[in-house]
């Protein structure tokens, strides 16, 4: 529980290449639509995919657990609708949404989040007419076939595939629910040490998407944990047309309110008040935990964490799993008040 770690705030590191893609989550009953950034970090090391493909055959087709096998999912891919059981689909999502190098319990927590999203989409009608979900991570969830994963994971493919399969089987048919309904199982790559309440990022406050301490491991080991972005005066003026950047650069950004770890709630940019989330979106920053310094004729933003910060942190889940937490403990930590139950 109390795994909050103190870290040197705002330490600057060279950012690594962003490999994360945003995708859209939708809430039941059309109450809330949300953007969620998640980790699409390819595990394959340079050169691995061109290594000899000897004896890396998978151990045959995946056999889903009883509960996952009983649910049929229609998955839109391009113009084609594929039909498969919930376990096979969840497996493809976990391959695409979380590094397979992660601990099995973190992968199982990811499997529950993915399954929860899927069942929620099925029950609410989802975003597609003839399908429950699609393979576009910007719309529903990432989808990675066994063949794609095998090519990316190279010589480790057999081991990683087996681990992801175990994570899906271990969590067979399990969902996070609140008052009997699948929750909005938002997740993100990493944050600055606290998750964010959904109402700060999207429209609605939800009782299980509140701010909780998030153990982010040592940020130095998280790709893109610290990043920087330089923005010229001209770019700022075009991105914030109602603002005024005619004065000294030191006066362009005033942070009015942050949470305990520095995530910006409100700030004044070029004389106009904006939410931290709004500034993050306009500038394409990796998170709303940022600050800025004058640089050349513009500002240089320094950013901590990656994603919207709501719900489960994938790197936090990995840290908890490595410290001995089960996927149940990870899920109840990040979605407090929600219940783990079997799909019915
Ligand atoms: Zn979709």
């Amino acid at each position: 529980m109390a795994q909050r770690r103190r870290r040197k705030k705002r330490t600057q590191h060279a950012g690594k290449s962003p490999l994360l893609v945003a995708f859209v989550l939708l809430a039941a009953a059309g109450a809330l639509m949300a953007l969620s950034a998640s980790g699409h970090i390819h595990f394959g090391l340079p050169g691995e995919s061109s290594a000899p493909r000897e004896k890396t055959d998978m151990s045959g087709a995946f056999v889903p657990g009883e509960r996952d096998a009983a649910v049929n999912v229609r998955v839109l891919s391009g113009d084609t609708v594929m039909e498969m059981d919930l376990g096979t689909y969840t497996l493809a999502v976990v391959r695409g949404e979380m590094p397979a190098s992660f601990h099995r319990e973190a992968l199982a927590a990811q499997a529950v989040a993915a399954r929860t999203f899927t069942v929620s989409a099925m029950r609410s009608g989802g975003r597609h007419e003839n399908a429950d979900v699609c393979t576009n991570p910007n719309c529903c969830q990432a989808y990675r076939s066994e063949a794609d994963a095998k090519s990316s994971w190279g010589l480790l493919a057999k081991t990683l595939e087996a681990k992801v399969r175990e994570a899906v089987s271990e969590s067979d048919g399990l969902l996070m629910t609140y008052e009997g309904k699948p929750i909005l199982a938002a997740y993100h790559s990493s944050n600055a040490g606290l998750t964010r309440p959904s109402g700060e990022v999207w429209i609605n406050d939800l009782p299980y998407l509140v701010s909780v301490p998030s153990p982010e491991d040592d940020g130095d080991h998280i790709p893109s944990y610290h990043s920087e972005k330089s923005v010229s005066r001209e770019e700022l003026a075009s991105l914030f047309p109602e603002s005024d950047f005619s004065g000294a650069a030191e006066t362009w950004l005033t942070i009015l309110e942050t949470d305990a770890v520095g995530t910006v709630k409100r700030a004044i940019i070029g004389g106009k008040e904006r939410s931290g989330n709004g500034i993050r979106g306009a500038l394409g920053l990796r998170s709303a935990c940022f600050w800025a310094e004058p640089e050349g004729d513009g500002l240089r933003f320094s950013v901590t964490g990656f994603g919207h910060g709501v719900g489960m942190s994938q790197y936090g889940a990995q840290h908890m799993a490595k410290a001995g937490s089960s996927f149940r403990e990870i899920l109840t930590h990040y979605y407090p008040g929600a219940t783990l139950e079997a799909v019915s």
Side-chain angles (χ1 to χ4, degrees), residues 128 134 139-140:
H128 304 281
C134 77
C139 175
C140 291

Side-chain angles (χ1 to χ4, degrees), residues 76 117 127-128 132-136 139-141:
L76 180 65
F117 172 86
R127 312 190 74 207
H128 304 281
D132 302 307
V133 285
C134 77
T135 58
N136 178 358
C139 175
C140 291
Q141 307 188 92

Side-chain angles (χ1 to χ4, degrees), residues 6-28:
R6 297 279 165 213
R7 68 178 53 74
K8 289 169 282 177
K9 260 172 66 179
R10 297 170 177 170
T11 308
Q12 292 175 21
H13 294 263
K16 294 178 184 169
S17 303
L19 288 167
L20 305 197
V21 179
F23 77 99
V24 174
L25 286 171
L26 61 148

Side-chain angles (χ1 to χ4, degrees), residues 309-320:
V310 181
M312 183 176 75
S313 157
Q314 293 178 312
Y315 277 91
Q318 165 71 348
H319 179 86
M320 288 182 72

Side-chain angles (χ1 to χ4, degrees), residues 2 5 33 36-37 76 79 85 104 126 159 188 208 220 226 233-234 244 257 283 303 306 314 329:
R5 289 168 68 99
M33 186 170 287
S36 165
L76 180 65
D79 296 330
D85 66 82
R104 193 185 73 180
T159 308
H188 58 279
Y208 51 83
D220 289 346
H226 298 285
R233 181 201 298 259
E234 198 181 356
D244 173 15
E257 188 186 359
L283 294 174
V303 185
F306 204 156
Q314 293 178 312
E329 289 166 331

Side-chain angles (χ1 to χ4, degrees), residues 206-267:
L206 291 169
Y208 51 83
L209 291 180
V210 294
S211 182
V212 298
S214 185
E216 297 294 307
D217 211 337
D218 181 346
D220 289 346
H221 296 132
I222 302 178
S224 310
Y225 192 66
H226 298 285
S227 59
E228 294 188 344
K229 181 160 191 173
S230 297
V231 189
S232 69
R233 181 201 298 259
E234 198 181 356
E235 289 171 303
L236 286 166
S238 121
L239 291 166
F240 301 100
E242 71 287 4
S243 293
D244 173 15
F245 298 97
S246 58
E250 288 78 8
T251 66
W252 294 349
L253 180 74
T254 305
I255 291 172
L256 298 175
E257 188 186 359
T258 70
D259 69 9
V261 294
T263 304
V264 177
K265 295 185 181 185
R266 295 182 304 125

